[in-house]
Structure formats: structure tokens, C-alpha cells
Amino acid sequence: MREYSVEALVEIADDDTLTDMAYAWAHADPDRAVLDEVTCGRFAGMVRAQAKELIAAGVRRGDRVVVLGPTSVAWAVADFAVLSVGAITVPIYPTASAEQIDAVLRDARPAACFTVPDKRALVAGAVRSEVRVWTLGEPAEGIGVDLPDAVVDERRAEVGADDIATIVYTSGTTGTPKGCVLTHRNILAAAGNVVALLPELFRGTDGGDRPSTLLFLPLAHVYGRVVLFGCVAAGTRTGLVGSPNALLSALPSFRPTFLVGVPYILEKIRKAARARVGEGPDGEAGAWVRGLLGGRLTHMICGGASLDASTLDFFTRTGLTVLGAYGLTETTSTVTMSAPSANRPGSVGRPVPGTTVAVAEDGEILVRGPQVSPGYWPDHAGGAPDEWVRTGDLGELDQDGYLRITGRRKEILVTSGGKNVAPAPLEDRLRLHPLVSNCMVVGEGRPFVTALVTLDRTALGEWRGSDLDTEIAAAVDSANALVSRAESIRRFRVLEGDFTVEGGQLTPSLRLRRAVIEKEYAAHIEAMYLH
């Protein structure tokens, strides 16, 4: 078994907590803009006021408090307030179905909830009558205003690094949602070591522009939460965008210096460039992309899924450095990270400081470190920093510690002829066609590989009059060029609808829920194997 360790760059004391950063900046630089131009002083004041409301409403240390809504300052205020009183934040995705919301509420048994107006009745109807339900971003209700600041300070002083900070419900691509427990120490280790590894991104360099970023990842996902805490800790100017779809319109005016996201965003930008001015990033497309990105963007941390090599090359030639990263909820989203001075394209970087990564004999990636979750709610008697987490992902670790993801154990397809097929490279390449919105490769236990394809409705107008099947067939041929004949897609079916988070076919991090899709489109799949 090959393994590689990197020494930690930050130390966490037993009394350190996630809320320390907000109050420290309010004291050190109260006029510094931190979130959507809200200053550090004002942000800490908003957090303290919300914390007083929670205390007055009877929320105790260890109670669970649900936060359901899009990425926003109000979401961040609620989160920091919950943590300030020693309670536990339970995020729910704003796109979650009624059944998913109900499942989390039943399991977490919250003492209070923050939600958006259109979900308020649903949430209120699913919890006990005595549970207070606030609407995110609405003015304070007036309770707790007479409490002295010392009451919040006393509650904060009771919290320690090993107390539970959050329970993140994740079902991944299959299964019933499970509540992954993360402590203050877990998140401090993940965020702190990434900031320490990438000071030029988060803190800037002497004489350079003040670092800034647009955070569009959902705060209900641990990836987005860790980025938020890292940005607040570093004092990074951070704009909050409610959804990935709103990012493109926000980029030119905000002009971030770096981004943190997933390959989907880069694919979306590349498609937009191709539609406007054609490919060729060395010419018009490159200029258009640089203008869209605001002219100051130099780096993007890209994790969450695989990135097609041609997309990586496209953005590299526009001057953007893409830093690969890898993690999962159980490791507080943080396992490996590339750095500007140690970037090996095609890899997802080396272990984040404080982390050990190994690859077992069967190829599975193993992880240990201070960001490892102690287990699942409610018993959370599981992993520990000195125990291996089995990720379920497959990879290769070179002698310099760079990790390459080669597949996912549960997503490797084995045809009836015994051929192992990794679907991700085929799917990544197919999605690059302007007409393709999403796709899923099928072939487990089948004689050959097929694909379900959905169309990008916004692109259809530009392709009116074209033979769509011929265009998609060309995209399939391009993908097949990456693999052997035995692994290639033999047939495909274009679907009427699309795969969406709201429809349940995608996870909130935009990964395919393969079992759901296979069940929903079983008739289409069978038809591809009938003749």
C-alpha cells in the first residue's frame, strides 16, 4: 500500500471554535468588507443579534437548528449565530423535495429552523408546534434584544473544538440520507490548512490586489461551507451568489481574483464561448472568456468531479490556472489540493497539510487526518483522525504524493463480457457538445455500453434544422475516441427531459444519481438492448 503524508500548517487549540474568526475581525478591522460588502463589524453585530434571539427562544447547547435556503449573507449569519450559542447547524438544500426535507427534520429533531418564505409552511408543518421557525433575512422579531452581549460571550466560551458544529445530510448518489457529524475542529482543520496552503489566493501578496471571490456553491454542501469559513478566516472579500446559474452575470462586475467550484462551471463557460465566438482560446474565444471572468481571475480551485482534459487545456490557454482538488463529506470536503507552486495538471493535488492519503492494493483511496468525521448522527461513534476512511473512490498516488482519480468503486461498470468501464471520461467528453446538457453511460451486466443523453434547451434554437441524432452521434464518436472498442458507446437515446437536482436525478453537487436514473428511464434503457 502506497501512502503519502503532509505535515499540518495550523494548530488548533481545544478551546478554538468557528465563531472566533468573525468576532476577531470585528475587533481588528471592523470596516473591512467581508461578505457582499457587509463589513466585519456589521457582520459580527448581525451574528450577535441573531444569537440573542436563539438564546431567548430557548435554544440550548447541543440543540439542532435547521438552515434551509440559498447561499446568502442571511444564511451565513444564521450559521454563525447557531454556532455562537453552542448549537448545531443542520443545513438543508433549497432544492430539496418535501420528502427529503421531512426526512431530515424527523431525524435531526431541531429545536428551531431558519427557512425561505416558500418553504416556511412546509417546515412549520413538519416540526413540533413549539419549534420556532424564522424566515431567513427577515428583520429580527424583537426577542432577545434586551439581553446583554455577555450572555452570548458566555455561551461561546462553553463551546470547544471537539463539539459538534454541524450535521450534513448526504445520500451521495444512492441510498437514504445519513447525517454526517462534523466538529468545530474538523472544519477549522480543513479550512485553516487550505488557507495556509494557498495564501496567495486567500490573503494576497504584498502590493497586489486584495483577494476576492464569488461563492456560488450551496452552503448546505460542506464544500461551500468550508470555503465560506476559509474566506471569513482570511478576510477575503467574498460575494455570495444564490445559484451557479447566476454566476456568469455576476463575474464581469465583481471581478474576482479566484474561484472555487466544480467542472460544470468551466464546461458552461466554455460552451458559452463556443456559442459566441467559436473555440480557439488563443483568439477571440480567449479574449471573450477573459472579459467574462472580469480580467483579474487567475486561479480556480476545481473539485467535486472529473474535469475533461480538453476543457483544462482550453482554460489554461486563456491564462487561468486550474487547481485540482478532491474530498468528500466525511473528510470535511478536503483531502488533496493543488497549489500554484505545486500544480500537476490532471491530478487532484497532494494531501492537504495534516493529511495522510493511501491507495490500497485494490486501488481504493484511504484518508486520515484531523478533518475526518467522528461518524454519523445520532451515535457518531465511528471514525477518528488516526483511522482510515475508505472513500469508495479509486486512484493512483505517485512518488511525489500527487493523486489521480481513476474512478469510483460503485460507478465502475462491468459488462457481461467482463470488461471494466469507467463512465466518467465518456460522460465528461459528451457533455462538451453544445447540444448536450447531461448524459449517463449504462452497461452494468450488459453486452455493450450505451448512453442516455439530455439536450440543452437554450442551445436548440441555434441548431434548428440540424439532424440532432447526427450531431449527438458525432459527440458520441468523439467520446469513443478516448476508449477501446469494448468500452465504447454503441447506442444512445436522447431523452425528452433533463437531469436536475429538483427532479432527483442529480445530487446537489451535480453528480448523477445513477440508480434513480436507471429506474426512471428503465424502458429507454431496455429499448437500446432489444435490437
Side-chain angles (χ1 to χ4, degrees):
M1 182 171 74
R2 182 189 292 273
E3 64 180 75
Y4 195 91
S5 299
V6 177
E7 187 176 349
L9 293 176
V10 298
E11 293 185 5
I12 301 165
D14 290 343
D15 59 352
D16 286 345
T17 72
L18 289 165
T19 61
D20 296 342
M21 60 184 71
Y23 297 98
W25 273 115
H27 176 74
D29 195 353
D31 297 326
R32 184 186 187 95
V34 60
L35 299 178
D36 274 0
E37 305 305 325
V38 173
T39 65
C40 294
R42 184 176 172 224
F43 180 67
M46 295 164 70
V47 170
R48 191 183 290 276
Q50 193 103 80
K52 291 179 181 180
E53 282 194 285
L54 290 166
I55 293 171
V59 174
R60 300 165 299 177
R61 179 182 176 187
D63 280 349
R64 279 77 60 204
V65 179
V66 159
V67 184
L68 189 167
T71 296
S72 65
V73 172
W75 207 111
V77 168
D79 190 16
F80 273 83
V82 171
L83 299 174
S84 291
V85 303
I88 299 167
T89 301
V90 180
I92 299 180
Y93 292 97
T95 54
S97 67
E99 292 77 13
Q100 290 169 328
I101 293 171
D102 184 65
V104 172
L105 293 173
R106 281 189 285 106
D107 192 65
R109 303 185 304 279
C113 302
F114 292 93
T115 186
V116 287
D118 63 330
K119 296 291 177 68
R120 185 183 177 102
L122 174 63
V123 171
V127 296
R128 303 184 310 276
S129 58
E130 65 269 22
V131 174
R132 183 176 290 273
V133 179
W134 281 278
T135 299
L136 274 173
E138 284 194 353
E141 299 179 6
I143 66 169
V145 293
D146 296 329
L147 290 176
D149 289 353
V151 173
V152 177
D153 295 336
E154 290 168 2
R155 289 288 289 270
R156 285 184 56 228
E158 296 174 358
V159 184
D162 294 312
D163 286 343
I164 299 173
T166 190
I167 303 170
V168 180
Y169 281 83
T170 175
S171 58
T173 54
T174 61
T176 303
K178 296 188 296 183
C180 181
V181 170
L182 298 174
T183 66
H184 286 257
R185 188 185 301 277
N186 290 151
I187 301 175
L188 286 169
N193 278 299
V194 169
V195 170
L197 179 68
L198 305 173
E200 58 270 75
L201 267 66
F202 288 89
R203 301 189 190 278
T205 56
D206 292 340
D209 291 340
R210 181 186 169 193
S212 61
T213 191
L214 282 169
L215 178 55
F216 55 91
L217 297 166
L219 291 177
H221 194 285
V222 68
Y223 191 13
R225 286 277 286 300
V226 169
V227 174
L228 175 70
F229 284 114
C231 288
V232 174
T236 307
R237 176 173 167 258
T238 306
L240 300 178
V241 180
S243 72
N245 290 333
L247 175 66
L248 296 190
S249 61
L251 280 167
S253 57
F254 189 87
R255 303 181 66 225
T257 59
F258 74 98
L259 290 174
V260 183
V262 293
Y264 167 80
I265 295 301
L266 293 179
E267 292 171 357
K268 192 176 182 70
I269 294 172
R270 185 182 178 187
K271 283 185 177 182
R274 181 186 291 166
R276 292 291 185 90
V277 294
E279 189 69 275
D282 297 316
E284 290 184 75
W288 185 86
V289 168
R290 286 188 288 272
L292 173 69
L293 299 178
R296 297 199 309 156
L297 189 71
T298 58
H299 295 83
M300 178 170 174
I301 299 171
C302 193
S306 58
L307 177 64
D308 182 82
S310 67
T311 299
L312 174 60
D313 179 65
F314 176 89
F315 282 96
T316 298
R317 288 188 284 136
T318 67
L320 179 68
T321 299
V322 179
L323 302 174
Y326 166 71
L328 54 155
T329 302
E330 290 80 0
T331 61
T332 321
S333 86
T334 311
V335 173
T336 61
M337 180 74 66
S338 302
S341 60
N343 187 25
R344 191 164 291 180
S347 79
V348 291
R350 294 192 290 191
V352 170
T355 305
T356 301
V357 172
V359 174
E361 296 301 324
D362 62 357
E364 185 173 9
I365 300 167
L366 311 177
V367 183
R368 64 185 181 202
Q371 73 274 44
V372 168
S373 163
Y376 297 98
W377 180 261
D379 56 321
H380 55 277
D386 59 349
E387 295 179 1
W388 291 114
V389 170
R390 304 188 69 88
T391 66
D393 292 315
L394 305 175
E396 298 172 348
L397 191 66
D398 69 22
Q399 61 183 8
D400 298 319
Y402 288 91
L403 180 68
R404 294 179 186 272
I405 307 299
T406 58
R408 182 161 179 81
R409 180 184 293 279
K410 294 181 180 179
E411 292 179 2
I412 293 294
L413 308 176
V414 183
T415 68
S416 58
K419 182 64 178 178
N420 286 4
V421 179
L426 294 164
E427 292 163 351
D428 292 347
R429 182 57 60 88
L430 264 172
R431 283 199 309 272
L432 291 179
H433 192 284
L435 272 174
V436 177
S437 175
N438 219 318
C439 57
M440 187 181 86
V441 169
V442 179
E444 178 66 30
R446 306 281 189 170
F448 52 84
V449 175
T450 60
L452 298 173
V453 179
T454 70
L455 299 180
D456 186 333
R457 300 296 160 181
T458 61
L460 278 176
E462 301 176 16
W463 294 78
R464 189 175 290 114
S466 301
D467 184 334
L468 296 184
D469 279 348
T470 299
E471 290 294 337
I472 302 304
V476 169
D477 289 343
S478 175
N480 284 342
L482 301 174
V483 298
S484 69
R485 170 67 176 166
E487 299 168 277
S488 63
I489 298 168
R490 307 283 183 87
R491 294 173 185 162
F492 64 88
R493 179 63 62 94
V494 177
L495 305 177
E496 289 292 328
D498 200 357
F499 303 152
T500 65
V501 175
E502 294 81 0
Q505 300 94 357
L506 302 179
T507 71
S509 57
L510 306 180
R511 293 177 63 181
L512 298 169
R513 283 197 162 108
R514 296 181 184 275
V516 172
I517 295 170
E518 286 188 14
K519 182 177 180 180
E520 185 171 342
Y521 294 99
H524 292 276
I525 293 171
E526 292 303 322
M528 289 189 286
Y529 290 97
L530 287 178
H531 58 277

